[in-house]
Amino acid sequence: MCIHFTLCEGSDNQPNIFHPTKLLGKSTILSIASLGYSSPELDKLEISMHNARMSHAHRAQISGTMCFVQAYAKINLTLDVLGRRADGYHELATVMQTIDLCDTICLTTTDDDRVQMICTTPSLSNEENLAARAATLLRQRLALTQGVRIELHKRIPVAAGLGGGSSDAAAILLALHQWWRLPLSPVDLLDMATSLGSDVPFFLTGGLALCEGRGERVSRLSSHWPTAMRWLLLLKPAISIATAVVFRSLPVSDYTDGNYSRTVSSAFNAGSMPRAEDLHNSLERSVLEHYPEVAQAKEDLLRAGASLVRLSGSGPTLFAPFAELARVINVQQELQAQGYEVYLVRATHSQVGSESFF
Ligand code: C5P
């Protein structure tokens, strides 16, 4: 299938957009959700300003030949590894939540027939970047000839267990689908997302979800976020961890039956706070054993005043929930004074983190 793009007339209310004229006819304009989150008390605090600004982010802002999109990070509240599959992957049940730490992507249409990738992290400025691979896959699937430049302002730490690369890839699929009004069904998007990576399907919807299988079976959960977890402090130890290495070295004795994720899902759906002992990550014991920097960071977080600390994904990032801003700020300051990379974030629900296409 070959799709041709034309540039439409634009006005203040109706920005220029590209659309595949042969298939879809006259374009309609996308509605962009306005996220009226205002928090003046946060803006006064230097250490929180970064997050406050990000909370005002919009999704897929289109202006002429340019499209901006935010890609939000996630944490794993639970991660049950059920067993190893015949295809080499592991069967999972995991409860994930998007957070307001995000990368910013700017897409620009170009005259040449290729995908250009420019990233603020130089080692990611190449076509192997999952964001570039998402654009390439989509162009191949639909035999598109329209070129695109991807500029990626990276803020989410890389190889940190926060899903940054996966989120970038999902954001590219969603943004190009919206912007170019591509004839893709939810199943097409899910199929492409799954082929890009196990976490990518989750980021098509974001918010709070139970993800099963390899990660591609995504069930949204009620977004009643407990006040006891209003603030999330992330600590990123100064190492990177390859997910494949963690899974490969995981002993069978660390496998679980999926009950932690099911119990936590039920708690969220009932609007109650999950029990601390159910916020279990099957990879954590092994990561703490093999990476002493992570074990030390967990100890330091607890000593600084966190009451619950868990590993996100395969790490090394740890997260700790807090009910009160004054308390989390004290802990953050103490850890920053110790030289740690810390982020104060909050959970984002679908209208902020990512809009659902389903
Ligand atoms: O799917 P993705 O490329 O993000 O996964 C990275 C690595 O993590 C895989 O190569 C695999 O080793 C491991 N993994 C796994 N089972 C999963 C997800 C990831 O074994 N469900």
Side-chain angles (χ1 to χ4, degrees):
M1 178 174 17
C2 185
I3 297 175
H4 299 268
F5 291 90
T6 56
L7 185 62
C8 303
E9 282 295 306
S11 70
D12 284 352
N13 297 326
Q14 296 199 330
N16 293 319
I17 64 169
F18 284 87
H19 72 102
T21 47
K22 286 202 169 165
L23 286 169
L24 297 174
K26 195 174 186 313
S27 64
T28 52
I29 301 306
L30 302 166
S31 70
I32 315 278
S34 179
L35 312 165
Y37 178 80
S38 166
S39 188
E41 69 278 14
L42 280 184
D43 291 336
K44 286 188 209 128
L45 294 164
E46 198 191 334
I47 57 172
S48 297
M49 272 184 65
H50 181 55
N51 302 306
R53 274 201 303 271
M54 287 193 297
S55 302
H56 291 277
H58 291 203
R59 189 155 181 98
Q61 288 183 292
I62 294 163
S63 166
T65 56
M66 197 170 72
C67 170
F68 274 99
V69 65
Q70 310 279 44
Y72 291 83
K74 57 85 180 163
I75 54 169
N76 299 75
L77 293 162
T78 64
L79 203 170
D80 286 296
V81 179
L82 279 68
R84 199 160 190 276
R85 306 173 4 156
D87 62 5
Y89 283 89
H90 290 76
E91 193 67 13
L92 305 180
T94 176
V95 175
M96 296 205 270
Q97 168 68 57
T98 40
I99 53 173
D100 69 345
L101 172 63
C102 70
D103 292 340
T104 300
I105 298 167
C106 179
L107 301 169
T108 318
T109 50
T110 57
D111 291 335
D112 52 7
D113 177 18
R114 65 195 190 104
V115 174
Q116 289 174 49
M117 181 76 224
I118 297 128
C119 182
T120 46
T121 304
S123 60
L124 300 178
S125 278
N126 58 63
E127 58 198 29
E128 284 311 301
N129 189 308
L130 208 53
R133 282 168 48 202
T136 301
L137 176 65
L138 197 143
R139 290 172 82 255
Q140 281 168 353
R141 279 285 171 97
L142 295 172
L144 305 178
T145 53
Q146 176 67 59
V148 64
R149 181 168 64 242
I150 303 170
E151 292 178 327
L152 172 57
H153 179 186
K154 200 85 197 136
R155 295 191 199 87
I156 306 171
V158 178
L162 298 172
S166 302
S167 185
D168 294 341
I172 298 268
L173 292 181
L174 291 175
L176 291 180
H177 176 236
Q178 280 186 316
W179 186 23
W180 290 352
R181 303 195 62 75
L182 300 175
L184 292 165
S185 68
V187 173
D188 295 332
L189 281 169
L190 185 60
D191 181 54
M192 282 191 281
T194 305
S195 75
L196 288 163
S198 306
D199 283 347
V200 183
F202 163 73
F203 287 108
L204 292 178
T205 46
L208 180 64
L210 169 67
C211 303
E212 295 169 286
R214 232 183 85 196
E216 80 286 7
R217 290 205 321 268
V218 181
S219 314
R220 300 202 67 180
L221 302 174
S222 157
S223 53
H224 287 295
W225 190 250
T227 51
M229 301 174 76
R230 187 181 294 148
W231 301 105
L232 298 162
L233 193 62
L234 307 184
L235 187 158
K236 155 71 175 60
I239 55 166
S240 296
I241 294 185
T243 305
V245 173
V246 175
F247 273 103
R248 209 181 303 134
S249 58
L250 189 70
V252 174
S253 54
D254 285 341
Y255 292 174
T256 46
D257 62 4
N259 225 10
Y260 292 114
S261 298
R262 280 192 294 273
T263 307
V264 167
S265 299
S266 302
F268 278 120
N269 278 339
S272 51
M273 170 75 186
R275 294 182 313 174
E277 60 266 36
D278 290 327
L279 299 175
H280 178 85
N281 180 337
S282 296
L283 305 176
E284 182 170 323
R285 192 210 55 78
S286 169
V287 168
L288 295 183
E289 181 182 297
H290 290 104
Y291 301 91
E293 301 91 334
V294 184
Q296 182 65 53
K298 180 169 181 176
E299 218 174 287
D300 290 340
L301 248 168
L302 289 166
R303 197 176 306 125
S307 48
L308 176 85
V309 180
R310 292 288 182 271
L311 187 75
S312 180
S314 55
T317 304
L318 299 158
F319 68 90
F322 290 84
E324 287 166 27
L325 185 61
R327 189 166 158 80
V328 69
I329 284 170
N330 282 338
V331 176
Q332 182 181 31
Q333 284 173 334
E334 181 162 341
L335 291 163
Q336 277 172 331
Q338 291 175 41
Y340 279 116
E341 182 180 337
V342 282
Y343 301 86
L344 175 56
V345 302
R346 68 182 179 95
T348 60
H349 302 300
S350 53
Q351 73 273 25
V352 176
S354 41
E355 281 165 18
S356 172
F357 260 77
F358 301 96

